[in-house]
Amino acid sequence: MTDGTYPPSSPQPEPAHGSGGYGFPPGPPAQNGYGYPSGDGGYGYPQAGQQPNPYQQDAGGQPWQPAPAPAQPGFTRLAGPDIPGASEQPDWEAMADRSEAARRKKKRWTLVGGVTVLALLAGGGTFFLLAGGDGPEGTNAQPSGSASPEPEDSKSPAAYTATVEGDDTLLRDSYGSMGIRLGPDLKVGPLGKRFQVVGKGNGNSWGQSAEPVVDVTKSFTITARAYSSAAKGSRIVMSQGDGESFSFELGVNEVNGKQAWIFRVQTGDKGAAATTKTVAAEGPTVLKTPTLVMATYDAEKKNIALYVDGKKAGETGVPAIWQAPGPLQLGRSKHHNIWTGPWQGALHNIKIYDAAFSAEQAAAYKEGKLGPAPKPAHAWLLT
């Protein structure tokens, strides 16, 4: 038996007229029926709220059978007489079969589509990794959340760290092997996605390498990005020497009553005034102004020069630079056996080159357009 229909059967002989069979009985229609008698033993359409019983017998003791109706695809007409207004009902079994077939087909397409999308994603990802995907500035794309890579010529790992692994008081040299030990009040701090050191301007605001970094008998360039928060006094970015006096110092000093960036070298021992040479930049603002400072020594030309934000502030001739004993210093300088110039503010992007930059190279460096050569010999706190 199918849902909503009666089981198929062979037609039964027509009963004699007035015999009370399953056709229209003689006489007026019974009340509340559809032209069929009412009662518990009726064999026609039931009254409202009752369900048809296909196994109900007629008055003659024979099972009630519906008259066959013309078959239509997907539908079967209600069994029984052709009553005006009777609706056609769906063939639920056939429709269920078609629905199941459509469902299986949709499932297959969904599975095929999902596999295809996964394959395309996997293929695209592999291609991106192999291709390297250049970014807007021509650099290879990096995974989100990772640190920016260092220059290709750096010997350091791609993920930048400011300090040596396992020692957060030792600045890592990105190009050489010379770490800088930090004093108690020169601390590493964040600078965007990179790092800087910040000094408090007291006797503990210093850093020191294990041995000399700059060979002052040969040409060199030293540079750093600096931010000074001290309104007065001497403030040293870097120097070299821990004996009686320094070989060179780069930083801030008062010149003609105002703060100015200076580069000073010793041409003889003891730190005597007669043997000191200084180049100053009196124009640029110093206090709380991020500044790129650079100093050079040309051993062939026998002169020193100072550049502030890529512009030459001045130069002067020197016979030679005195080679004071001792390592590179950050945030201080030795004058007559006394540490002076404690740094107050921030420092980063500190580099040492084994060559003297020209004015054109200094300007290009400021704009980030310096060619691949020369390369730094040492570098700390890169940005």
Side-chain angles (χ1 to χ4, degrees), residues 195-233:
F195 307 94
Q196 60 186 349
V197 287
V198 180
K200 294 183 178 181
N202 59 27
N204 290 322
S205 301
W206 55 267
Q208 177 176 286
S209 63
E211 56 189 72
V213 172
V214 179
D215 184 351
V216 295
T217 67
K218 300 178 181 178
S219 297
F220 64 84
T221 296
I222 57 175
T223 182
R225 294 185 182 273
Y227 178 88
S228 174
S229 58
K232 61 182 180 179

Side-chain angles (χ1 to χ4, degrees), residues 31 63 115-116 134 163 231 255 257 262 285 305 313 316 347 360:
Q31 292 182 349
V115 171
T116 301
D134 286 346
T163 57
V255 177
I262 60 97
T285 301
T316 188
L347 300 171
E360 292 75 18

Side-chain angles (χ1 to χ4, degrees), residues 181-187 197-208 235-237 329-333 339-345 347:
R181 179 67 62 187
L182 299 179
D185 288 331
L186 189 62
K187 300 287 190 179
V197 287
V198 180
K200 294 183 178 181
N202 59 27
N204 290 322
S205 301
W206 55 267
Q208 177 176 286
R235 306 292 172 177
I236 301 302
V237 172
Q329 306 287 330
L330 292 185
R332 66 181 181 178
S333 180
W339 289 112
T340 63
W343 184 255
Q344 181 177 320
L347 300 171

Side-chain angles (χ1 to χ4, degrees), residues 32-57:
N32 299 324
Y34 299 98
Y36 293 87
S38 61
D40 295 331
Y43 51 79
Y45 280 82
Q47 296 181 12
Q50 294 180 333
Q51 296 296 324
N53 185 356
Y55 301 104
Q56 189 178 25
Q57 293 182 347

Side-chain angles (χ1 to χ4, degrees), residues 75-79 83-90:
F75 290 87
T76 181
R77 187 177 296 276
L78 286 174
I83 303 171
S87 61
E88 291 184 341
Q89 298 295 319

